[in-house]
Amino acid sequence: MNLRLSTSVHKQMSFPKHINMDPFFRRKDKVVFVVGPTGTGKSRLAIDIATRIPAEVINCDKIQVYKGLDIVTNKVTEEECRGVPHHLLGVVDPNADYTSDDFRHHASDALKLICARDRLPIIAGGSNSFIEALVNEDPEFQSRYECCFLWVDVSLPVLHSFVSDRVDRMLKSGLIDEVKSIFDPTNFDYSRGIKRAIGVPELDQYFRNETSRTRARFLESAIAKIKENTCMLSCRQLQKIHRLRNRWSWNMHRIDATEVFVRNGEEAEEAWERVVARPGNMMIEQFLYDENDHMTTIVPSESVTVMATNGMPISIPAMAAAAR
């Protein structure tokens, strides 16, 4: 049956004035979200996708929006961006109180610009409260966009081992000097702006006692607290993802990246391509081009055994893409 309305019929139809008729007469633009706990590779996957199809990335990490502290906030470097344009990354005054409403407003502007360039917007980051504000609390977003969510997941014991090692790497890269550059002994407020970042308040007592004979103990305690708080953050983020998926029935596809994190070197790179990048791109292509709107999910095809960082064997499903 032909559902196209003639001009004469269209003029005769009467709709309440408060109803937005746009969704009835145009296709929605599509938006991809890449979510997951800290350290799982969200930014890497978003960039991988954007190097294979015309796309731009919108950062939705509530700390990475601020200028400065690139090591502490673990911002992607220019080299890691691989030429992919990024929005809302390191652009906000470090002392500002950047809210979910601010993100919703700025992300909406970025979305319109990216779609006007006929590119795919990819929103990536771990601040699920920002995502929820945009997707569930913005009527304009709901009327304009169709969403697909890629959830990059890693077994928590493996992830916690990785983020602990990542803190050590950040320390070697200059984390302490970076935080010291903004330390103010007269300002105890770590509740707003970039000073909320994990790695800043934990070092307060170390800087205040830097000349003490026990300064090494203060530093050791601060590092342990940074690692602990990062692990706690990953747990909270994972819990929020589960709540959002169950509460709002988001079109969310889970990708298990655990195998990548328990391998090293070339084996890790091969695992990333096989269990993360390739399935993720397959899902996005289907989301963009499949008129039948079938869902693509990751399902286990076989099990492999790999060694975790503590030497214990872990059985992990080798992932394959399947349509349903």
Side-chain angles (χ1 to χ4, degrees), residues 167-186:
V167 170
D168 292 334
R169 292 193 296 272
M170 293 162 69
L171 288 165
K172 291 179 181 179
S173 297
L175 180 148
I176 293 175
D177 288 340
E178 189 178 68
V179 177
K180 188 176 182 179
S181 69
I182 67 163
F183 174 67
D184 181 357
T186 65

Side-chain angles (χ1 to χ4, degrees), residues 48-279:
D48 271 2
I49 294 170
T51 58
R52 305 186 194 205
I53 59 175
E56 300 182 22
V57 176
I58 300 174
N59 165 60
C60 68
D61 184 296
K62 65 176 63 176
I63 297 299
Q64 290 184 353
V65 299
Y66 292 106
K67 299 176 183 177
L69 296 188
D70 292 351
I71 298 172
V72 174
T73 60
N74 201 41
K75 293 186 181 78
V76 289
T77 65
E78 183 176 350
E79 181 181 0
E80 290 169 336
C81 286
R82 294 154 65 187
V84 174
H86 279 62
H87 303 259
L88 304 186
L89 183 65
V91 295
V92 176
D93 183 280
N95 297 311
D97 188 16
Y98 194 79
T99 67
S100 295
D101 285 339
D102 293 326
F103 172 78
R104 187 172 59 183
H105 172 73
H106 293 141
S108 295
D109 289 344
L111 284 166
K112 293 172 185 176
L113 287 173
I114 295 169
C115 290
R117 290 194 280 264
D118 290 325
R119 294 188 166 201
L120 173 69
I122 303 175
I123 299 179
S127 296
N128 298 303
S129 59
F130 279 12
I131 297 174
E132 184 178 20
L134 180 65
V135 176
N136 294 326
E137 300 171 15
D138 190 330
E140 181 184 10
F141 179 90
Q142 296 169 6
S143 69
R144 291 178 63 98
Y145 303 105
E146 179 183 356
C147 304
C148 176
F149 293 82
L150 298 185
W151 164 20
V152 187
D153 197 19
V154 175
S155 167
L156 280 180
V158 174
L159 181 61
H160 288 171
S161 177
F162 170 79
V163 297
S164 177
D165 292 342
R166 187 178 71 174
V167 170
D168 292 334
R169 292 193 296 272
M170 293 162 69
L171 288 165
K172 291 179 181 179
S173 297
L175 180 148
I176 293 175
D177 288 340
E178 189 178 68
V179 177
K180 188 176 182 179
S181 69
I182 67 163
F183 174 67
D184 181 357
T186 65
N187 186 351
F188 293 84
D189 186 5
Y190 293 104
S191 63
R192 59 183 291 130
I194 202 169
K195 287 189 175 182
R196 293 179 296 159
I198 294 175
V200 178
E202 292 86 352
L203 284 166
D204 179 273
Q205 288 302 307
Y206 169 69
F207 292 135
R208 294 182 189 280
N209 295 276
E210 201 171 6
T211 59
S212 168
R213 292 181 180 179
T214 59
R215 64 184 184 277
R217 292 183 181 177
F218 282 106
L219 180 58
E220 182 180 349
S221 175
I223 294 172
K225 197 64 178 178
I226 291 171
K227 293 180 178 181
E228 177 186 346
N229 288 342
T230 304
C231 291
M232 291 175 61
L233 172 63
S234 66
C235 291
R236 292 196 302 270
Q237 289 172 324
L238 184 58
Q239 291 170 353
K240 184 67 176 290
I241 289 171
H242 281 289
R243 287 200 300 270
L244 292 175
R245 182 183 64 167
N246 295 334
R247 182 179 179 185
W248 300 105
S249 299
W250 284 357
N251 179 19
M252 188 175 291
H253 308 288
R254 176 178 175 270
I255 299 176
D256 189 341
T258 305
E259 183 182 350
V260 178
F261 288 76
V262 294
R263 297 192 184 278
N264 297 299
E266 292 183 3
E267 289 187 352
E269 293 300 316
E270 183 277 331
W272 173 268
E273 180 63 26
R274 174 167 46 84
V275 304
V276 180
R278 194 180 305 156

Side-chain angles (χ1 to χ4, degrees), residues 31-44:
V31 181
V32 169
F33 289 82
V34 183
V35 303
T38 184
T40 53
K42 300 179 296 296
S43 295
R44 180 179 178 182

Side-chain angles (χ1 to χ4, degrees), residues 5-12:
L5 299 176
S6 68
T7 303
S8 59
V9 173
H10 185 194
K11 289 181 178 179
Q12 295 173 6

